[in-house]
Coordinates of all heavy atoms in Angstrom, one line a residue:
M27 N 0.8 -1.2 0.0 CA 0.0 0.0 0.0 C 0.9 1.2 0.0 O 1.8 1.4 0.8 CB -0.9 0.0 1.2 CG -1.8 1.1 1.3 SD -2.9 0.9 2.8 CE -3.8 2.4 2.6
A28 N 0.6 2.1 -0.9 CA 1.4 3.4 -1.0 C 1.1 4.3 0.1 O -0.1 4.4 0.6 CB 1.2 4.0 -2.3
S29 N 2.1 5.1 0.6 CA 1.8 6.1 1.6 C 1.2 7.3 1.0 O 1.2 7.5 -0.2 CB 3.1 6.4 2.3 OG 3.9 7.2 1.4
K30 N 0.6 8.1 1.9 CA 0.0 9.4 1.4 C 1.1 10.3 0.8 O 0.8 11.0 -0.1 CB -0.7 10.1 2.6 CG -1.9 9.3 3.1 CD -2.6 10.1 4.2 CE -3.7 9.3 4.8 NZ -5.0 9.6 4.3
W31 N 2.3 10.2 1.3 CA 3.4 11.0 0.7 C 3.7 10.6 -0.7 O 3.9 11.4 -1.6 CB 4.7 10.9 1.5 CG 5.8 11.8 1.1 CD1 6.9 11.5 0.4 CD2 5.8 13.2 1.3 NE1 7.6 12.6 0.1 CE2 7.0 13.7 0.7 CE3 5.0 14.2 2.0 CZ2 7.3 15.1 0.7 CZ3 5.3 15.5 2.0 CH2 6.5 15.9 1.4
D32 N 3.7 9.3 -1.0 CA 3.9 8.8 -2.3 C 2.8 9.2 -3.3 O 3.0 9.6 -4.4 CB 4.0 7.2 -2.4 CG 5.2 6.7 -1.7 OD1 6.2 7.4 -1.7 OD2 5.2 5.6 -1.2
D33 N 1.5 9.2 -2.7 CA 0.4 9.7 -3.5 C 0.5 11.1 -3.8 O 0.3 11.6 -5.0 CB -0.9 9.5 -2.7 CG -1.3 8.0 -2.5 OD1 -0.7 7.1 -3.3 OD2 -2.1 7.7 -1.6
L34 N 1.0 11.9 -2.9 CA 1.2 13.4 -3.1 C 2.3 13.6 -4.2 O 2.1 14.4 -5.1 CB 1.6 14.1 -1.8 CG 1.9 15.6 -1.9 CD1 0.7 16.3 -2.4 CD2 2.4 16.1 -0.6
E35 N 3.4 12.8 -4.1 CA 4.5 13.0 -5.1 C 4.0 12.6 -6.5 O 4.3 13.3 -7.4 CB 5.6 12.1 -4.7 CG 6.5 12.6 -3.6 CD 7.7 11.8 -3.3 OE1 7.7 10.6 -3.7 OE2 8.6 12.3 -2.6
R36 N 3.2 11.6 -6.6 CA 2.7 11.2 -7.9 C 1.7 12.2 -8.4 O 1.7 12.6 -9.6 CB 1.9 9.8 -7.8 CG 2.7 8.7 -8.4 CD 1.8 7.4 -8.5 NE 1.1 7.1 -7.3 CZ 1.6 6.5 -6.2 NH1 2.9 6.2 -6.2 NH2 0.9 6.2 -5.2
W37 N 0.9 12.8 -7.6 CA -0.1 13.8 -8.0 C 0.7 15.1 -8.4 O 0.4 15.7 -9.4 CB -1.0 14.2 -6.8 CG -2.0 15.2 -7.1 CD1 -3.1 15.1 -7.8 CD2 -1.9 16.6 -6.8 NE1 -3.8 16.3 -7.9 CE2 -3.0 17.2 -7.3 CE3 -1.0 17.4 -6.1 CZ2 -3.3 18.6 -7.1 CZ3 -1.2 18.7 -5.9 CH2 -2.3 19.3 -6.4
M38 N 1.8 15.5 -7.7 CA 2.5 16.7 -8.0 C 3.2 16.5 -9.4 O 3.4 17.5 -10.1 CB 3.6 17.0 -6.9 CG 3.0 17.6 -5.7 SD 2.3 19.2 -5.9 CE 3.7 20.1 -6.4
E39 N 3.7 15.3 -9.7 CA 4.4 15.1 -11.0 C 3.5 15.3 -12.1 O 3.9 15.7 -13.2 CB 4.9 13.6 -11.0 CG 6.1 13.4 -10.1 CD 6.5 11.9 -10.1 OE1 5.9 11.1 -10.8 OE2 7.5 11.6 -9.4
N40 N 2.2 15.1 -12.0 CA 1.2 15.3 -13.1 C 0.6 16.7 -13.2 O -0.2 16.9 -14.0 CB 0.2 14.2 -13.0 CG 0.7 12.8 -13.1 OD1 1.6 12.6 -13.9 ND2 0.2 11.9 -12.4
Q41 N 0.9 17.6 -12.2 CA 0.3 18.9 -12.2 C 1.0 19.9 -13.1 O 2.2 19.8 -13.3 CB 0.3 19.4 -10.8 CG -0.5 18.6 -9.8 CD -1.9 18.4 -10.3 OE1 -2.6 19.4 -10.6 NE2 -2.3 17.2 -10.4
Q42 N 0.2 20.7 -13.7 CA 0.8 21.8 -14.5 C 0.8 23.0 -13.5 O -0.1 23.7 -13.3 CB -0.2 22.2 -15.7 CG -0.3 21.1 -16.7 CD 1.0 20.8 -17.4 OE1 1.8 21.7 -17.6 NE2 1.3 19.5 -17.7
L43 N 2.0 23.2 -13.0 CA 2.2 24.3 -12.0 C 2.4 25.6 -12.6 O 3.0 25.7 -13.7 CB 3.4 24.0 -11.1 CG 3.3 22.7 -10.3 CD1 4.6 22.4 -9.6 CD2 2.2 22.8 -9.3
P44 N 1.9 26.7 -12.0 CA 2.1 28.0 -12.5 C 3.6 28.4 -12.5 O 4.3 27.8 -11.8 CB 1.3 29.0 -11.6 CG 0.5 28.1 -10.7 CD 1.1 26.7 -10.8
K45 N 4.0 29.3 -13.4 CA 5.4 29.7 -13.4 C 5.9 30.1 -12.1 O 5.2 30.9 -11.4 CB 5.5 30.8 -14.4 CG 7.0 31.2 -14.7 CD 7.1 32.3 -15.7 CE 8.6 32.6 -16.0 NZ 8.7 33.6 -17.0
G46 N 7.0 29.7 -11.7 CA 7.6 30.0 -10.4 C 7.3 29.0 -9.3 O 7.9 29.0 -8.3
F47 N 6.4 28.1 -9.5 CA 6.1 27.1 -8.5 C 6.7 25.7 -8.8 O 6.5 24.7 -8.1 CB 4.5 26.9 -8.5 CG 3.9 28.0 -7.7 CD1 3.5 29.1 -8.4 CD2 3.6 27.8 -6.4 CE1 2.9 30.2 -7.7 CE2 3.0 28.9 -5.7 CZ 2.6 30.0 -6.3
E48 N 7.6 25.7 -9.8 CA 8.3 24.4 -10.2 C 9.1 23.9 -9.0 O 9.5 22.8 -8.9 CB 9.2 24.6 -11.4 CG 8.4 24.9 -12.7 CD 8.2 26.4 -12.8 OE1 8.8 27.2 -12.1 OE2 7.3 26.7 -13.6
V49 N 9.5 24.9 -8.1 CA 10.4 24.5 -7.0 C 9.7 23.5 -6.1 O 10.4 22.7 -5.4 CB 10.7 25.8 -6.2 CG1 9.5 26.3 -5.4 CG2 11.8 25.5 -5.2
L50 N 8.4 23.4 -6.1 CA 7.7 22.4 -5.3 C 7.9 21.0 -5.7 O 7.7 20.1 -5.0 CB 6.1 22.7 -5.4 CG 5.7 24.0 -4.8 CD1 4.2 24.2 -5.1 CD2 6.0 24.2 -3.4
R51 N 8.5 20.8 -6.9 CA 8.8 19.5 -7.4 C 10.2 19.0 -6.8 O 10.5 17.8 -6.8 CB 8.9 19.4 -8.9 CG 7.6 19.6 -9.6 CD 7.7 19.3 -11.1 NE 6.7 19.9 -11.9 CZ 5.5 19.4 -12.0 NH1 5.2 18.3 -11.4 NH2 4.6 20.0 -12.8
E52 N 11.0 19.9 -6.3 CA 12.3 19.6 -5.7 C 12.1 19.1 -4.3 O 11.5 19.7 -3.5 CB 13.2 20.8 -5.8 CG 13.5 21.3 -7.2 CD 14.3 22.5 -7.2 OE1 15.1 22.7 -6.2 OE2 14.2 23.3 -8.1
P53 N 12.8 17.9 -4.0 CA 12.6 17.3 -2.6 C 13.2 18.2 -1.5 O 12.7 18.1 -0.4 CB 13.2 16.0 -2.7 CG 14.2 16.1 -3.9 CD 13.6 17.1 -4.8
D54 N 14.2 19.0 -1.8 CA 14.8 19.7 -0.7 C 14.4 21.2 -0.6 O 15.0 22.0 0.1 CB 16.3 19.6 -0.8 CG 16.8 20.2 -2.1 OD1 16.0 20.4 -3.0 OD2 18.1 20.4 -2.2
W55 N 13.3 21.5 -1.2 CA 12.8 22.9 -1.2 C 12.4 23.4 0.2 O 12.6 24.5 0.5 CB 11.7 23.2 -2.2 CG 10.4 22.6 -1.9 CD1 9.9 21.3 -2.1 CD2 9.3 23.3 -1.1 NE1 8.7 21.2 -1.6 CE2 8.3 22.3 -1.0 CE3 9.2 24.5 -0.6 CZ2 7.1 22.6 -0.3 CZ3 8.0 24.8 0.0 CH2 7.0 23.9 0.2
V56 N 11.8 22.5 1.0 CA 11.4 22.9 2.3 C 12.6 23.2 3.2 O 12.7 24.3 3.9 CB 10.6 21.8 3.0 CG1 10.3 22.1 4.5 CG2 9.3 21.5 2.3
E57 N 13.7 22.4 3.1 CA 14.9 22.7 3.8 C 15.5 24.0 3.5 O 15.9 24.8 4.3 CB 15.9 21.5 3.6 CG 17.1 21.7 4.4 CD 18.1 20.6 4.2 OE1 17.8 19.6 3.5 OE2 19.3 20.8 4.7
R58 N 15.6 24.3 2.2 CA 16.2 25.5 1.7 C 15.3 26.7 2.2 O 15.9 27.7 2.6 CB 16.3 25.5 0.2 CG 17.4 24.6 -0.3 CD 17.8 24.9 -1.8 NE 16.6 25.1 -2.6 CZ 16.0 24.2 -3.4 NH1 16.5 23.0 -3.4 NH2 15.0 24.4 -4.1
Y59 N 14.0 26.6 2.1 CA 13.1 27.6 2.5 C 13.3 27.9 4.0 O 13.4 29.1 4.4 CB 11.7 27.3 2.2 CG 10.7 28.3 2.7 CD1 10.5 29.5 2.0 CD2 10.0 28.1 3.9 CE1 9.6 30.4 2.4 CE2 9.1 29.1 4.3 CZ 8.9 30.2 3.6 OH 8.0 31.2 4.0

């Protein structure tokens, strides 16, 4: 069974993010922020 985090990652991969929000695809963006 996949975790909710895996589900979120899969969902994010398929999203058309507005310009400037591509950073959300990077796994270490929270740490940098």
Side-chain angles (χ1 to χ4, degrees):
M27 181 175 177
S29 72
K30 292 184 187 259
W31 188 257
D32 291 335
D33 293 341
L34 177 64
E35 284 182 343
R36 254 190 313 281
W37 180 79
M38 285 296 295
E39 287 174 359
N40 296 323
Q41 296 306 303
Q42 296 295 325
L43 297 173
K45 185 176 182 181
F47 283 85
E48 297 85 16
V49 71
L50 296 176
R51 294 190 200 278
E52 297 177 27
D54 59 345
W55 72 274
V56 173
E57 181 181 354
R58 287 194 318 265
Y59 177 79

